[in-house]
Amino acid sequence: MDTSCAPPTPATPATPATTPQAAAAALLQPLRQALPDLPLRGDRLWRRLEALAGFTRPDLPWTRRAFSPEFIAARAWLREEFASAGLAVRLDAAGNLIGRREGRMPGAPALASGSHSDTVLQGGRFDGILGVAAALEVAHALHDAGQTWHHPLEVIDFLAEEPTDHGVSCVGSRAMAGLLDMPLLQAADAGGETLAHAMRRIGGMPELIDTARREPGSLAAFVELHIEQGPVLEQEHLAIGVVTHIVGIHRVEITVTGQPDHAGTTPMHLRHDALAGAAALITLAHHRARALNQAERYVVATVGRLAVEPNSTNTVPGLVRMSLEVRSDDPEVLRSFADDLLHGAQGEMQRCRVSATARTQTLTPPTRADDGVIAAIEQAARRHGHTHRRMPSGAGHDAAPLARIAPMGMVFIPCRGGRSHCAREWSDPEQVLAGTQVLAATLQGLDRQLATAAA
């Protein structure tokens, strides 16, 4: 039994150990000692990654959509793995699978780590599940070593981080942050099933969704390990990325209006070609994003969907609806990009004899990682000798909603070629273990730091 925080044996009033100063010193003594490395097992971690990835549609590897039979089977397996690591396991009302290891400071908020086990169609073998498996390995190593931290540790598999067929993403983490409201729960997929009904199928209780909400301060910190999903770390030969921001996302529908006409009989100078106008906007968006993206500011812009009417081989396009997605850690860029784009394209729109309008679909502001957690991650990387750099995350993560209720940070590891959301997604076992070492040391360091502050 760990007695390092046990109260001193009662003594006479003259005994120094009974003074408040001596009691505080006794509490702080174990915190001043060097942190022991946890006995992480890379082989066990890798086996779990392979096993969890194996819950996939055989015709579409690696596909494990939220609420699917593959997802439900993976969840049942994960529950058993959580228990084997000595965790007390529960499913909250939002469908988050949570394993908990108690701490030795009564009433202390939990340190939390995890990610998600669902995928996009034909997704990868590491996106999401790496963060779950790594957090589980930290907990299992604590169990193996018989160590108890000052704070409880929670390992979380959040429900449905990827966009569901209902059009909602980060379902479980939204609920934990109090952001999953009734309109989102009533969103329906193509077959008419609501998100609330799908949550019930996997054991959630959407009618009690408020019970899944965590109040600010109820978690001491949240740290998520993830593959970078981009090429920067690999190209710079670095082992660890320390996330400074999760970028904001502005999704806009742009409509270009022209006039449909016969493609053979309408001279070029008399056309109102909506697709020609859309092409000019796409090109301008590309060049504008490249110009705005700088060392101190991350900007990307993508037109990923086009709907052309009448979509006929021999008809001049009369209408184009297209998606513009802008991602940045600069709120002003997010706010102004689409308007500036249309303003800058006015001359070309006039030459094409068309008009263009923009309508915001969603606007999510950037989320900044906590400075204290950033520092803890950097210290953990140095402790293990891993090269690292600060960088933004261009993808969304469960960590973003969690930042509303707890200090948040993210650890990145490289992925081969920067590939993600595809079957070629890959990280080597050594990279996976390095990231897990940094995750473990970060949580361990935060546990000691926060306990010292509380004392």
Side-chain angles (χ1 to χ4, degrees):
M1 182 177 72
D2 191 333
T3 60
S4 60
C5 280
T9 303
T12 64
T15 304
T18 62
T19 67
Q21 295 83 359
L27 178 63
L28 289 173
Q29 183 177 0
L31 302 177
R32 295 193 181 105
Q33 299 171 356
L35 292 172
D37 288 339
L38 288 177
L40 299 172
R41 283 182 46 189
D43 60 333
R44 178 171 60 198
L45 172 60
W46 192 256
R47 284 200 303 271
R48 280 185 172 138
L49 282 170
E50 290 189 317
L52 189 48
F55 291 95
T56 178
R57 284 180 53 176
D59 59 325
L60 289 175
W62 306 87
T63 299
R64 187 173 48 260
R65 299 290 290 145
F67 312 115
S68 68
E70 297 80 21
F71 177 81
I72 293 170
R75 269 292 182 82
W77 178 85
L78 265 177
R79 180 182 282 273
E80 293 181 359
E81 293 299 303
F82 278 24
S84 73
L87 297 171
V89 191
R90 68 184 180 92
L91 192 74
D92 73 8
N96 296 310
L97 185 67
I98 303 171
R100 183 176 171 99
R101 181 177 181 83
E102 293 297 339
R104 59 189 183 213
M105 287 175 55
L111 291 163
S113 183
S115 194
H116 61 99
S117 59
D118 64 310
T119 73
V120 298
L121 282 172
Q122 294 182 282
R125 299 175 59 183
F126 298 86
D127 177 5
I129 70 171
L130 170 64
V132 177
L136 178 55
E137 179 56 32
V138 173
H140 209 151
L142 275 170
H143 180 67
D144 289 345
Q147 293 184 27
T148 302
W149 284 347
H150 298 85
H151 297 78
L153 174 65
E154 289 192 3
V155 179
I156 307 174
D157 174 29
F158 293 102
L159 177 65
E161 188 265 0
E162 303 291 1
T164 66
D165 294 338
H166 313 84
V168 184
S169 60
C170 293
V171 172
S173 53
R174 281 178 189 263
M176 198 170 283
L179 300 173
L180 193 67
D181 56 16
M182 188 54 64
L184 292 177
L185 288 170
Q186 293 306 311
D189 64 12
E193 183 184 44
T194 65
L195 177 59
H197 189 272
M199 291 170 69
R200 289 190 192 95
R201 283 198 293 107
I202 58 95
M205 293 180 288
E207 65 277 6
L208 300 176
I209 198 70
D210 285 345
T211 65
R213 180 176 183 172
R214 303 288 185 93
E215 295 300 322
S218 61
L219 292 178
F222 176 76
V223 187
E224 181 174 357
L225 175 64
H226 210 279
I227 59 170
E228 179 195 347
Q229 298 184 278
V232 175
L233 292 176
E234 184 182 66
Q235 289 192 358
E236 296 186 6
H237 306 289
L238 297 174
I240 298 295
V242 184
V243 174
T244 57
H245 295 79
I246 298 174
V247 298
I249 305 175
H250 191 184
R251 292 191 175 110
V252 179
E253 182 182 70
I254 295 179
T255 302
V256 183
T257 304
Q259 178 177 299
D261 284 302
H262 195 290
T265 60
T266 308
M268 298 301 291
H269 69 285
L270 296 178
R271 294 184 178 206
H272 304 262
D273 191 331
L275 188 55
L281 285 169
I282 294 168
T283 301
L284 184 59
H286 176 84
H287 290 305
R288 179 168 179 77
R290 290 190 63 172
L292 288 171
N293 186 61
Q294 300 173 8
E296 71 280 2
R297 180 176 58 204
Y298 183 84
V299 182
V300 293
T302 306
V303 174
R305 180 182 58 81
L306 288 171
V308 182
E309 297 179 13
N311 203 28
S312 170
T313 303
N314 61 351
T315 306
V316 175
L319 184 74
V320 175
R321 290 188 178 91
M322 64 186 193
S323 65
L324 170 67
E325 182 189 85
V326 183
R327 300 189 181 212
S328 180
D329 52 9
D330 186 331
E332 178 56 26
V333 169
L334 289 175
R335 186 196 65 79
S336 63
F337 191 99
D339 289 341
D340 291 348
L341 177 67
L342 294 189
H343 180 75
Q346 282 182 349
E348 191 61 32
M349 296 300 102
Q350 290 172 0
R351 283 187 286 274
C352 293
R353 298 158 62 97
V354 299
S355 62
T357 59
R359 179 181 65 87
T360 292
Q361 295 176 308
T362 59
L363 174 57
T364 305
T367 303
R368 177 163 177 82
D370 179 78
D371 288 337
V373 179
I374 289 173
I377 295 170
E378 291 177 324
Q379 183 177 3
R382 288 192 294 268
R383 172 179 166 184
H384 286 281
H386 296 310
T387 55
H388 59 280
R389 62 161 287 179
R390 293 189 178 194
M391 62 190 307
S393 169
H397 300 282
D398 287 309
L402 266 289
R404 296 174 62 95
I405 59 173
M408 175 277 289
M410 290 193 71
V411 181
F412 277 173
I413 64 169
C415 53
R416 184 179 297 169
R419 303 294 303 282
S420 183
H421 280 193
C422 66
R424 293 181 179 272
E425 183 180 275
W426 183 261
S427 287
D428 291 329
E430 296 80 10
Q431 294 169 322
V432 167
L433 182 58
T436 306
Q437 287 174 337
V438 172
L439 175 68
T442 299
L443 292 167
Q444 194 178 34
L446 288 169
D447 178 62
R448 180 172 70 170
Q449 174 188 337
L450 296 172
T452 303

